[in-house]
Amino acid sequence: MQIPSDAFDLPFFREHGFVRKLCPHCGEHYWTQDETSETCGDAPCIDYDFIGDPPTNKQYTNSEMREKFLSYFERNNHSRVAPYPVVARWRDDLMFTIASIIDFQPYVTEGILPPPANPLVVSQPCLRFEDIDLVGITAGRHLTIFEMGGHHAFNYKDGEQVYWKDKTVEYHHGLALEIGVPSESVKYKEGVWAGGGNAGFCLEPTVGGLEISTLVFMQYRVVNGEWIQMPINIVDTGYGIERWTWLSQGSCSGFHAIYGPVLDKTLEWAGMNLDESLLSELAKYSYLIDLNNQEEERRNIAKKVGIEYEQLIDTLYPVEGIYGAIDHTKAMAFILSEGIVPSNVKEGYLTRMLFRRGYRLLRRAGIEDRMPDLVKLQINFWGDDFPQLRKMEDEILEMVDVEDRKYRDTLSRGKSMVQRHVKKNKKVSMDQLVEFYESHGLTPEDVQDAAKEIGTALKVPGDFYTLMSRKHMGEGKEKKIVEKEGADLAKRLEELPSTRRMFYENPYDKEMNAKVIEVIEGTKVILDQTVFYAEGGGQISDQGVLIVGDAEYRVKDVHSIEGVIIHNVDRPGIKKDDKVHGVIEWDRRISLMRAHTSTHIIIGAARRVLGEHAWQAGASKTVERARLDISHYARITREEVEEIEHLANMVVRERRPVTCKFMQRDKAEKKYGLRLYQGGAVPGKEIRIVDMGDWDVEACGGTHLANTSEIGFIKIVDTERVQDGVERLVFASGPHALDEVQRREALLMEAADLMGAPYESIVESVQNNLDAIKELRTQLDSLQKTLSSELAETLVDKAMKVNGLKVVFHRDEVDFEFLIELGNAMEEKESNIVAFIMSTSQRRFGIKAGKGAMEKGIHAGELTTKLGELMGGSGGGAPYFGQGGGGDPEKFMGAKHEILEAIKGQLQ
Ligand SMILES: [Zn+2]
Ligand SMILES: [Zn+2]
């Protein structure tokens, strides 16, 4: 889309003597007060000229700059709103908050809900992984975590007009002037912005080569490449708070400006003294570095600064590692504070990536052991501005500690595997690097180290983590299940009204009368109202019958498409406009209601026992059992299970009322927080809130009991590890819980009967029996030793002499283990022994060759193979011993002759 030449012909620009110019370097238009200006003012069209020479009247810390920004807009009639979390739990298409506008998408930006204030200002911590490989090597231009200062105005067509382009530029300019930036230093570059299905024109203000903000005027919806006017014009600005901070300090890196004392302490651990004047010189050209041209541009920068390339690398390599690790540990602390557990999927995957990459970066300076200390520093440094970090400090540090141990385990286990691979293949392909990382947790740097130890130098791709994060960002969240019936059905349903959901009005209704609105394909019945719960939210659908006149139709399953509920019946016959009487299978429904209500109770209990990071990661309810997957970094212990069970049953006994009501989304979020989205993001302006008071409140569409006491009893019957970072609790409720306890008790009673002991003393009885077995085994061993020694002597005496060998054929009913013992005893007495042994009871046979026999050329394994063939079984083994099984035991002795021939054949 071409930018119209008058798109930014604004009164503010005209009144303040701005002119529109064309940058000869990048070919873009920009606005400036400096008539003699020769570039757009954005790198790479100019170098960074604020380094060592900040244009502001004072230096700001990040906190001071944030406060400056927020209070400036407050003074200009904006309402300050609290930032949203960095984990975008309210979105089903995004894992992390990537911009301030995300807080208001899609309900506010689509005009479904009003904004919390208009205009408003927010400083929103954001996370982005697209540039993760550039973090640290661009002196602070790229970060995985940053604050986006956004002032937003929502202008409604035919409604409230707050402000648009002119005022936006005026505000931006005003703030720049207020911190002392000379007016002519701020240039405004024109651009086109598009993202998330929306688009508009934008201005990119720059100072000293640094793009400090983006002023987007969101005006269009992009449909099939076409720009269609939206009903709301949205001012969507993003002020890079960290960049403004860096600009005000003019320091040799953005990290110096943002992280001050955290950086100082880390450098102290590493014993590093930085040559800040050299770093400043290098930073002026750091904008040149990109993913694909690192070496080339670094050589270029070395030349510009007048140092050798090697000196540049030696200077930058360790400090860039520290920059990157400082960024990553902050991002990690924020994510962990919101209850994400490191794992191999989704948000947990990216959290683990931050840890592992951060660890590797610290290793450059030899301080990887400081990882947990660095996270602690971050919590302290940012904790005043973001109290959630302090609140979650213990859990964050615990998770970092666990992750640290897991990574070290991975490293010690993975090294030899990598070395085997390198020895065999002499190189490691990109696919293999991905495999090492995704399946074994080894970073490319770990692979590189392991290869180096065995003398193979590997080059690591510069964009590895970027590729991996892109791949996993794409995972997104679980996509909405596309209805199985396909587009045709969806189209037919579109014309139908939403079905009245009687199961929400009174979940205890078992029967109803209804009218048939439509019948599709003979068996898909749509009614005006129904008591049949449609499958959803991890709860299976109701079953039951629809009765028309004398005919009864079984309802097999029920589901909902866009508010229309479809009853799948077992045969055709029901017709449009029929009157039906419906009855649900109540045992099934009430069991599901118990299970569903128990799920809410158990997640509340798990949170109290395991910590705030225990979020629901999945759930399903069937009639007899329900399961709840919980994010947690360790195996749930027996004691924790008991405690969860104990708390859950306490809530049952407390007779807590459970209320369900529809609430406007923004009001519900405000009242209960985003913990509401325990079961994932839910769509709609209105969401259904299931409230158990201070125990648990969730957005949930299932059917629940009116009071927790109706559950009766909850029993956790099993725990499983679903995957690293996700633990499963399987539980039963009400009569099914009692069934489970009775089943377990019956097993114990049966065991007690078998032991011939009373139930209470079963453990003691089992223990006594185990002790007795152990004692018998010891006696048996010693008997066998004596016996085998005596028998060995007899057998060796009677052995057949064949060319200096002593050959024995022995067949017995005893255990094969005893016969092996016997073979060893024979060898002790006669080194030229070749003993053929067979256990007829176990159908196992073997051949033992003594040392002397082996020296003469006997190979017991090969003879065993031969013996196996002769007997119709199979076998094989080493020169000193072979074993096999199967075949006909009667053929053992019959094979004697041919075996003797084979022995002769082996003798040299
Ligand atoms: Zn330019
Ligand atoms: Zn529920």
Side-chain angles (χ1 to χ4, degrees):
M1 176 65 87
Q2 194 72 34
I3 308 169
S5 62
D6 61 352
F8 293 105
D9 187 5
L10 307 173
F12 176 84
F13 282 151
R14 267 183 271 127
E15 284 157 23
H16 292 83
F18 278 81
V19 287
R20 186 178 193 239
K21 301 193 81 165
L22 186 72
C23 176
H25 305 275
C26 61
E28 308 282 357
H29 284 95
Y30 65 100
W31 293 82
T32 176
Q33 279 174 317
D34 176 7
E35 298 236 16
T36 63
S37 163
E38 286 173 354
T39 80
C40 64
D42 191 11
C45 303
I46 66 160
D47 300 330
Y48 289 162
D49 63 17
F50 66 96
I51 305 237
D53 183 18
T56 53
N57 51 18
K58 65 165 264 200
Q59 301 197 336
Y60 289 83
T61 65
N62 209 69
S63 292
E64 287 165 350
M65 189 57 87
R66 178 195 314 117
E67 188 48 39
K68 183 85 198 165
F69 166 80
L70 291 168
S71 54
Y72 169 83
F73 280 96
E74 266 181 328
R75 259 187 283 127
N76 285 288
N77 303 317
H78 289 66
S79 302
R80 185 194 291 224
V81 302
Y84 273 53
V86 296
V87 181
R89 307 230 190 222
W90 65 97
R91 300 279 299 238
D92 58 7
D93 54 343
L94 273 181
M95 292 193 233
F96 296 110
T97 306
I98 54 169
S100 57
I101 195 71
I102 299 300
D103 304 356
F104 313 108
Q105 280 175 328
Y107 298 97
V108 176
T109 54
E110 293 285 327
I112 297 166
L113 289 175
N118 197 10
L120 62 83
V121 64
V122 60
S123 184
Q124 176 63 51
C126 296
L127 284 168
R128 289 189 190 176
F129 289 84
E130 297 86 277
D131 297 315
I132 187 167
D133 289 292
L134 287 170
V135 175
I137 63 178
T138 54
R141 188 158 59 101
H142 294 96
L143 304 168
T144 60
I145 183 160
F146 60 94
E147 283 179 59
M148 183 180 278
H151 58 97
H152 299 285
F154 303 87
N155 303 292
Y156 295 87
K157 195 180 175 184
D158 315 321
E160 192 188 5
Q161 298 301 308
V162 184
Y163 62 82
W164 192 231
K165 295 176 187 173
D166 193 56
K167 199 77 181 162
T168 302
V169 177
E170 187 186 324
Y171 283 142
H172 185 272
H173 214 72
L175 180 61
L177 296 190
E178 219 178 273
I179 64 162
V181 180
S183 188
E184 63 280 6
S185 299
V186 194
K187 298 178 180 181
Y188 293 85
K189 194 166 153 179
E190 294 181 353
V192 176
W193 176 91
N198 295 116
F201 299 111
C202 67
L203 287 173
E204 290 162 0
T206 62
V207 177
L210 193 64
E211 184 191 326
I212 52 171
S213 318
T214 312
L215 312 176
V216 174
F217 303 96
M218 212 195 267
Q219 206 175 353
Y220 304 100
R221 191 175 287 140
V222 186
V223 182
N224 301 325
E226 233 181 292
W227 287 26
I228 296 161
Q229 191 81 37
M230 280 166 46
I232 314 177
N233 285 342
I234 300 168
V235 173
D236 172 21
T237 60
Y239 291 47
I241 300 295
E242 284 81 359
R243 288 191 181 190
W244 283 67
T245 303
W246 187 16
L247 183 78
S248 83
Q249 295 200 19
S251 45
C252 61
S253 84
F255 300 97
H256 283 78
I258 306 161
Y259 291 96
V262 176
L263 178 64
D264 290 345
K265 190 77 199 167
T266 313
L267 291 170
E268 190 189 309
W269 290 336
M272 280 164 66
N273 282 313
L274 301 184
D275 179 348
E276 291 195 7
S277 67
L278 175 58
L279 285 176
S280 290
E281 282 311 300
L282 294 168
K284 286 177 188 166
Y285 308 105
S286 57
Y287 63 84
L288 290 167
I289 307 279
D290 210 333
L291 271 187
N292 308 312
N293 63 2
Q294 289 182 37
E295 189 181 333
E296 188 189 327
E297 286 302 340
R298 281 169 190 258
R299 286 187 187 281
N300 180 15
I301 293 170
K303 206 177 288 167
K304 282 176 185 277
V305 174
I307 58 170
E308 293 296 318
Y309 172 68
E310 287 68 27
Q311 188 191 345
L312 176 143
I313 294 296
D314 289 347
T315 306
L316 290 181
Y317 186 73
V319 69
E320 286 176 349
I322 285 175
Y323 291 162
I326 282 187
D327 167 273
H328 291 5
T329 45
K330 178 186 176 189
M332 191 163 64
F334 270 69
I335 298 173
L336 294 178
S337 80
E338 292 180 14
I340 295 294
V341 175
S343 71
N344 293 325
V345 290
K346 298 180 191 170
E347 296 93 343
Y349 175 94
L350 292 156
T351 314
R352 175 161 286 167
M353 175 184 278
L354 288 169
F355 182 95
R356 298 203 168 174
R357 186 167 191 266
Y359 183 102
R360 287 299 320 194
L361 290 170
L362 285 179
R363 185 176 253 193
R364 291 185 186 181
I367 53 167
E368 68 272 23
D369 292 351
R370 291 291 193 169
M371 195 77 184
D373 300 327
L374 184 48
V375 176
K376 203 167 179 169
L377 275 188
Q378 300 280 14
I379 295 171
N380 273 325
F381 187 66
W382 299 102
D384 287 343
D385 297 339
F386 301 96
Q388 176 75 1
L389 292 170
R390 288 252 157 79
K391 197 178 137 212
M392 288 287 285
E393 175 161 4
D394 291 348
E395 282 187 46
I396 297 171
L397 294 175
E398 170 75 16
M399 284 194 268
V400 167
D401 194 48
V402 169
E403 197 55 18
D404 193 60
R405 269 182 278 141
K406 281 184 183 166
Y407 187 35
R408 284 168 200 266
D409 273 2
T410 298
L411 289 177
S412 64
R413 273 187 283 116
K415 199 165 93 179
S416 59
M417 176 182 60
V418 171
Q419 292 177 340
R420 275 198 305 278
H421 180 91
V422 172
K423 271 184 197 145
K424 194 170 154 211
N425 300 281
K426 303 287 170 244
K427 63 176 171 49
V428 179
S429 65
M430 181 64 184
D431 284 351
Q432 187 61 44
L433 277 183
V434 173
E435 161 83 14
F436 278 139
Y437 185 69
E438 305 255 271
S439 306
H440 306 283
L442 296 163
T443 68
E445 294 79 12
D446 299 329
V447 174
Q448 193 177 35
D449 280 1
K452 197 173 163 195
E453 272 185 27
I454 53 166
T456 306
L458 292 182
K459 236 183 139 90
V460 168
D463 56 356
F464 181 82
Y465 296 98
T466 305
L467 295 173
M468 291 304 102
S469 52
R470 257 186 222 149
K471 190 169 144 194
H472 284 267
M473 292 300 268
E475 259 178 22
K477 300 198 173 169
E478 277 160 49
K479 295 272 175 289
K480 247 200 258 165
I481 300 152
V482 185
E483 56 268 22
K484 306 160 212 154
E485 273 71 19
D488 283 356
L489 180 63
K491 216 178 168 76
R492 290 189 66 180
L493 295 176
E494 232 167 61
E495 291 130 36
L496 300 176
S498 294
T499 313
R500 180 176 159 207
R501 291 152 192 264
M502 299 165 79
F503 51 82
Y504 279 165
E505 292 163 23
N506 181 4
Y508 292 88
D509 275 350
K510 307 172 183 70
E511 303 183 24
M512 92 280 187
N513 292 314
K515 197 178 127 191
V516 179
I517 297 281
E518 185 65 275
V519 179
I520 298 170
E521 293 160 17
T523 54
K524 293 180 171 46
V525 179
I526 294 143
L527 307 171
D528 60 341
Q529 58 179 10
T530 187
V531 291
F532 282 82
Y533 179 78
E535 178 164 353
Q539 181 177 328
I540 56 177
S541 77
D542 284 331
Q543 294 178 342
V545 290
L546 292 181
I547 301 161
V548 184
D550 295 335
E552 223 180 77
Y553 299 85
R554 280 214 59 74
V555 177
K556 295 187 295 181
D557 64 70
V558 186
H559 56 273
S560 167
I561 298 178
E562 304 288 336
V564 180
I565 293 177
I566 300 167
H567 306 74
N568 274 313
V569 294
D570 59 349
R571 63 200 158 89
I574 299 179
K575 291 182 297 296
K576 191 175 169 178
D577 296 329
D578 277 353
K579 299 255 183 291
V580 301
H581 183 69
V583 183
I584 59 173
E585 206 179 287
W586 182 245
D587 269 0
R588 175 185 168 97
R589 160 67 87 73
I590 190 76
S591 290
L592 292 169
M593 280 163 65
R594 274 190 216 104
H596 206 136
T597 311
S598 299
T599 307
H600 292 248
I601 295 175
I602 290 184
I603 190 69
R607 189 157 63 234
R608 283 160 179 84
V609 173
L610 304 174
E612 290 290 316
H613 62 272
W615 276 71
Q616 179 174 320
S620 85
K621 295 102 193 168
T622 59
V623 176
E624 272 144 36
R625 290 269 185 286
R627 63 173 174 76
L628 174 65
D629 296 344
I630 300 170
S631 54
H632 185 51
Y633 48 79
R635 288 311 314 264
I636 298 181
T637 64
R638 190 65 231 150
E639 292 71 34
E640 286 165 341
V641 168
E642 281 173 7
E643 213 179 322
I644 292 170
E645 209 170 58
H646 176 77
L647 285 179
N649 282 293
M650 181 192 81
V651 172
V652 170
R653 288 191 305 274
E654 281 175 354
R655 306 177 158 269
R656 283 173 179 256
V658 182
T659 61
C660 302
K661 58 178 183 286
F662 280 93
M663 263 180 102
Q664 192 165 299
R665 163 185 297 276
D666 51 341
K667 298 211 167 78
E669 284 180 6
K670 201 163 175 182
K671 183 162 180 196
Y672 301 111
L674 294 171
R675 180 77 70 181
L676 273 183
Y677 302 126
Q678 192 68 246
V682 290
K685 178 180 179 179
E686 302 245 297
I687 55 180
R688 189 161 175 270
I689 302 298
V690 177
D691 188 344
M692 289 186 184
D694 60 1
W695 192 257
D696 184 75
V697 183
E698 285 178 41
C700 180
T703 52
H704 305 79
L705 299 166
N707 191 292
T708 58
S709 63
E710 293 173 56
I711 296 170
F713 173 42
I714 298 174
K715 176 82 195 124
I716 297 173
V717 300
D718 203 4
T719 65
E720 287 169 43
R721 159 152 294 189
V722 179
Q723 52 178 270
D724 190 19
V726 182
E727 296 289 307
R728 172 168 298 170
L729 293 179
V730 183
F731 58 93
S733 307
H736 300 291
L738 184 61
D739 286 350
E740 181 61 32
V741 173
Q742 288 179 341
R743 192 180 68 82
R744 288 174 181 221
E745 196 184 355
L747 286 174
L748 283 176
M749 295 298 239
E750 203 180 322
D753 272 358
L754 288 172
M755 288 290 177
Y759 172 79
E760 292 77 16
S761 54
I762 182 161
V763 173
E764 199 189 333
S765 173
V766 167
Q767 191 57 56
N768 288 342
N769 272 291
L770 288 175
D771 290 346
I773 289 170
K774 207 169 147 197
E775 174 57 29
L776 283 171
R777 205 166 268 154
T778 316
Q779 288 182 19
L780 187 66
D781 278 357
S782 108
L783 267 171
Q784 282 189 346
K785 270 220 166 70
T786 323
L787 209 62
S788 63
S789 173
E790 282 169 13
L791 184 56
E793 199 154 330
T794 319
L795 289 170
V796 170
D797 282 349
K798 291 198 295 187
M800 210 182 290
K801 296 189 181 68
V802 181
N803 299 2
L805 298 175
K806 291 207 165 176
V807 181
V808 170
F809 287 86
H810 181 71
R811 201 171 71 141
D812 210 332
E813 278 187 342
V814 294
D815 272 10
F816 190 62
E817 299 305 316
F818 173 75
L819 294 176
I820 293 176
E821 192 63 37
L822 181 67
N824 293 338
M826 284 191 265
E827 191 199 358
E828 267 173 39
K829 297 182 196 310
E830 174 56 66
S831 119
N832 285 318
I833 196 82
V834 182
F836 291 74
I837 47 183
M838 165 127 211
S839 158
T840 49
S841 61
Q842 292 179 323
R843 289 174 158 240
R844 291 176 68 191
F845 51 84
I847 300 173
K848 174 80 199 171
K851 200 159 168 254
M854 281 193 287
E855 279 164 10
K856 292 188 172 70
I858 294 302
H859 190 294
E862 286 170 11
L863 289 175
T864 313
T865 307
K866 177 82 186 166
L867 178 60
E869 281 166 16
L870 292 169
M871 292 178 58
S874 63
Y880 65 94
F881 182 66
Q883 57 180 322
D888 181 359
E890 295 309 316
K891 290 185 177 165
F892 180 73
M893 286 301 180
K896 212 170 186 175
H897 177 71
E898 275 164 273
I899 287 295
L900 286 173
E901 289 305 309
I903 289 174
K904 283 175 192 158
Q906 284 188 349
L907 294 170
Q908 287 126 356

